[in-house]
């Protein structure tokens, strides 16, 4: 039986061309072109040398993203497939794809809202109550609430069954104490999806529950972390008797593992469906600019980048068309992170020694990608974890 709370299903694609034309027209009138001075498609790649600069650039990135998301909402282009009571339009799911595809062609980004737009809905449509959806979903579509994920801990990353942050029942809800790490966007989010232990350690996965935690409250302390690129991107989050009201428990007590699986599947699909590592055309532009597009070695790198990108696009198109692709999320996520790494390596080869000049406007963006690529191999589950999933769920190999 279909889930009555789920967004409208695919449905016939009648009217797709007209809808596409209407969306294209709106973007042409409202969105900055890629490469123009107003282009903010990379605003989510927050990079700063001091904690203070990090805070300022994160605040800038989130306010630009909020304003853009609000414009999409006002234009009736946000949450096309979501039901009207959750802020959407009850349209077929392919209309969301049309908007996402069109958006990727312009100098805009909603990636700062990735958790809210791409993971929270999957979680709440599948495991949440009507009250939770009515409360949390519309403000995301309106660009009012940003979300982050409080999953990883110093002793629990790939294997989240080891989570030790504890949620204890108190009057009217839960009190949460523990430490999270590697939290993206913690300092600019109103809410977090949190995994915490409500049972004993011996219970493992069965002792976990998933919550919605308000980030701006006295029991939540956020400390920025610096990574190897020199840039700040992550945070540690310390929870000391932070409060979650009863409404914040998603699914039942002890259902955390099932909720987490939904969250991680949507995260992998979201990362794999991302566009920020798109690079083949840019690599060609770089080679032409530096006058080495005739070099056979460079041409080989450019061809490899174009082939990988095309493979990824075709795989996504199969998934979007409703074909069954075993282990689709892990496969696209793995292809995407490999593509990001190999493209950054290719750019470094093309740039040669210039790749080491940090303040050169041509090399600096590639250097940043080169240093960010290893992180893509980890975030949303490491490459090894994706390969395990492909082996087991895609190829049917034993654990
Ligand atoms: C860009 C980025 C953004 C992130 N954002 C967030 C966020 O917002 N919120 C959040 O909670 N976390 C976030 N993380 C953390 C991320 O989810 C973890 O880094 C990741 O899950 C790996 O966990 P770990 O770092 O503890 O490594 P570990 O789990 O300790 O793994 C160490 C190594 O062992 C390998 N390994 C572990 N288990 C297996 C296995 N069963 N089979 C084979 N190899 C294995 C891993 O592949 C890895 O190479 C982010 C990380 C990055 C890089």
């Amino acid at each position: 039986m279909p889930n009555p709370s789920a967004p409208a299903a695919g449905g016939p694609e009648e009217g797709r061309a007209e809808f596409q034309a209407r969306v294209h027209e709106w973007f042409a009138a409202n969105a900055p072109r890629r490469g123009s001075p107003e282009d903010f498609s990379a605003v989510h790649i927050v990079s700063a040398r001091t904690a203070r600069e990090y805070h300022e650039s994160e605040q800038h990135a989130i306010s630009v993203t909020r304003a853009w998301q609000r414009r999409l909402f006002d234009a009736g282009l946000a949450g096309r497939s979501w039901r009207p009571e959750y802020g959407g339009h009850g349209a077929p799911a392919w209309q969301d794809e049309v908007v996402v595809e069109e958006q990727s062609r312009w100098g805009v980004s909603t990636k700062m809202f990735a958790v809210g737009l791409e993971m929270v809905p999957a979680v709440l449509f599948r495991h949440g109550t009507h009250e939770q959806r009515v409360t949390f979903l519309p403000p995301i579509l309106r660009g009012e609430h940003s979300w982050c994920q409080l999953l990883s801990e110093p002793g629990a990353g790939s294997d989240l069954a080891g989570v030790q942050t504890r949620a204890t029942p108190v009057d009217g809800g839960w009190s949460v104490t523990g430490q999270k790490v590697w939290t993206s966007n913690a300092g600019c989010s109103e809410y977090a999806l949190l995994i915490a232990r409500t049972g004993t350690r011996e219970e493992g996965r069965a002792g976990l529950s998933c919550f919605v935690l308000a980030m701006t409250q006295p029991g939540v302390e956020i400390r920025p972390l610096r990574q190897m690129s020199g840039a700040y991107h992550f945070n540690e989050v310390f929870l000391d008797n932070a409060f979650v009201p009863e409404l914040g428990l998603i699914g039942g007590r002890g259902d955390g593992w099932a909720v987490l699986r939904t969250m991680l599947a949507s995260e992998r699909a979201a990362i794999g469906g991302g566009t920020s590592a798109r690079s083949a055309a840019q690599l060609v532009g770089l080679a032409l600019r530096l006058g080495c597009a005739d070099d056979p070695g460079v041409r080989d790198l450019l061809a490899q980048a174009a082939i990988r990108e095309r493979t990824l696009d075709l795989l996504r198109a199969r998934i979007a068309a409703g074909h069954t692709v075993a282990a689709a999320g892990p496969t696209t996520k793995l292809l995407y992170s490999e593509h990001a790494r190999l493209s950054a390596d290719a750019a470094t080869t093309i740039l040669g020694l210039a790749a080491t000049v940090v303040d050169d406007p041509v090399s600096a963006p590639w250097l940043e990608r080169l240093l960010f690529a290893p992180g893509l191999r980890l975030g949303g589950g490491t490459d090894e974890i994706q390969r395990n999933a492909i082996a087991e769920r895609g190829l049917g190999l034993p654990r």
Side-chain angles (χ1 to χ4, degrees):
M1 196 176 134
N3 175 0
S5 308
E13 301 206 356
E14 207 180 314
R16 184 166 182 138
E18 291 79 2
F19 182 71
Q20 234 158 4
R22 186 156 69 79
V23 172
H24 177 75
E25 201 178 313
W26 185 85
F27 272 82
N30 291 279
R33 295 200 167 277
R34 274 199 177 250
S36 71
E38 296 78 32
D39 182 338
F40 64 91
S41 55
V43 75
H44 56 283
I45 304 174
V46 174
S47 174
R49 287 167 197 227
T50 66
R52 190 181 163 165
E53 260 181 56
Y54 170 63
H55 176 71
E56 285 167 5
S57 14
E58 199 180 48
Q59 290 306 315
H60 166 71
I62 199 75
S63 65
V64 168
T65 309
R66 281 186 205 284
W68 174 247
Q69 180 62 31
R70 179 72 208 197
R71 286 181 76 180
L72 286 173
F73 178 81
D74 288 342
L77 295 177
R80 290 292 310 166
S81 68
W82 299 14
R83 289 186 168 191
E85 64 263 44
Y86 307 138
H89 298 267
W94 58 259
Q95 295 197 0
D96 286 328
E97 287 156 28
V98 168
V99 175
V100 169
E101 267 169 33
E102 185 64 31
Q103 177 155 271
S104 71
R105 299 196 179 99
W106 296 85
V108 299
S109 167
T110 50
K111 278 289 166 200
M112 290 293 285
F113 268 26
V115 176
L117 286 171
E118 299 175 67
M119 291 164 229
V120 177
V123 163
L124 292 187
F125 283 134
R126 180 134 195 202
H127 305 276
T129 61
H130 173 70
E131 193 188 357
Q132 286 172 330
R133 295 181 204 125
V134 168
T135 307
F136 298 118
L137 293 178
I140 296 175
L141 281 189
R142 293 194 298 265
E144 290 162 10
H145 290 170
S146 167
W147 287 62
C148 61
Q149 283 174 299
L150 292 173
L151 312 179
S152 309
E153 297 184 359
S158 298
D159 187 5
L160 290 169
V163 157
Q164 291 189 42
T165 293
R166 173 155 288 285
T168 315
V170 291
D171 255 6
W174 301 80
S175 171
V176 187
T177 295
Q179 182 193 346
K180 296 289 176 177
V181 72
W182 312 127
T183 317
S184 310
N185 300 342
C188 61
S189 290
E190 278 76 20
Y191 288 103
L193 285 169
L194 163 83
I195 283 288
R197 186 158 293 286
T198 45
T200 61
R201 279 189 78 171
E202 291 66 39
E203 281 176 282
R205 297 171 177 185
L208 296 174
S209 301
C210 182
F211 299 92
V212 175
L213 178 99
M215 290 295 286
T216 46
Q217 56 166 309
V220 179
E221 189 195 341
I222 300 162
R223 294 187 202 158
L225 282 173
R226 196 163 186 228
Q227 52 184 346
M228 80 172 181
S229 62
Y232 288 85
H233 176 79
F234 298 110
N235 304 274
E236 292 176 294
V237 178
F238 294 83
L239 303 167
D240 180 12
N241 286 313
F243 180 68
V244 174
E246 261 150 28
L247 177 71
L249 175 65
I250 304 174
R253 179 178 181 160
D255 288 345
W257 196 255
V259 181
L260 188 64
R261 283 179 67 110
T262 304
M263 200 191 311
L264 292 180
S266 58
E267 180 175 29
R268 283 160 195 175
I271 296 175
T275 51
S276 51
R278 290 198 142 275
S279 57
Q282 288 164 327
L283 284 172
V284 171
L286 183 69
L288 287 170
R289 185 171 180 171
L290 298 184
C292 58
D294 289 338
D295 181 306
V298 170
R299 292 176 80 84
D300 187 40
L301 291 173
L302 299 178
Q304 284 180 37
I307 291 166
R308 278 195 310 272
E309 216 161 277
R310 186 82 182 120
T311 309
L312 195 50
D313 283 347
L314 289 172
L315 183 66
R316 285 175 189 154
R318 277 179 64 80
I319 295 166
H323 293 283
T324 306
V325 176
T331 308
T332 49
K333 203 260 154 177
L334 183 64
L335 274 175
Y336 185 79
S337 74
E338 282 183 346
H339 181 45
R341 179 172 54 83
L342 292 168
S343 302
D345 285 350
T348 316
T349 306
I350 294 170
L351 284 161
L353 275 179
T356 58
V357 184
V358 279
D359 51 2
D360 177 79
V362 178
S363 61
W366 289 105
L367 187 58
E368 202 155 281
R369 285 187 190 195
L370 182 75
L371 294 173
F372 196 68
L376 274 178
R377 297 185 55 210
L378 307 174
T382 66
D383 282 3
E384 289 76 22
I385 295 301
Q386 310 308 330
R387 288 198 176 94
N388 281 349
I390 293 166
E392 289 165 26
R393 300 210 297 274
L395 303 174
L397 294 172
R399 275 178 73 84

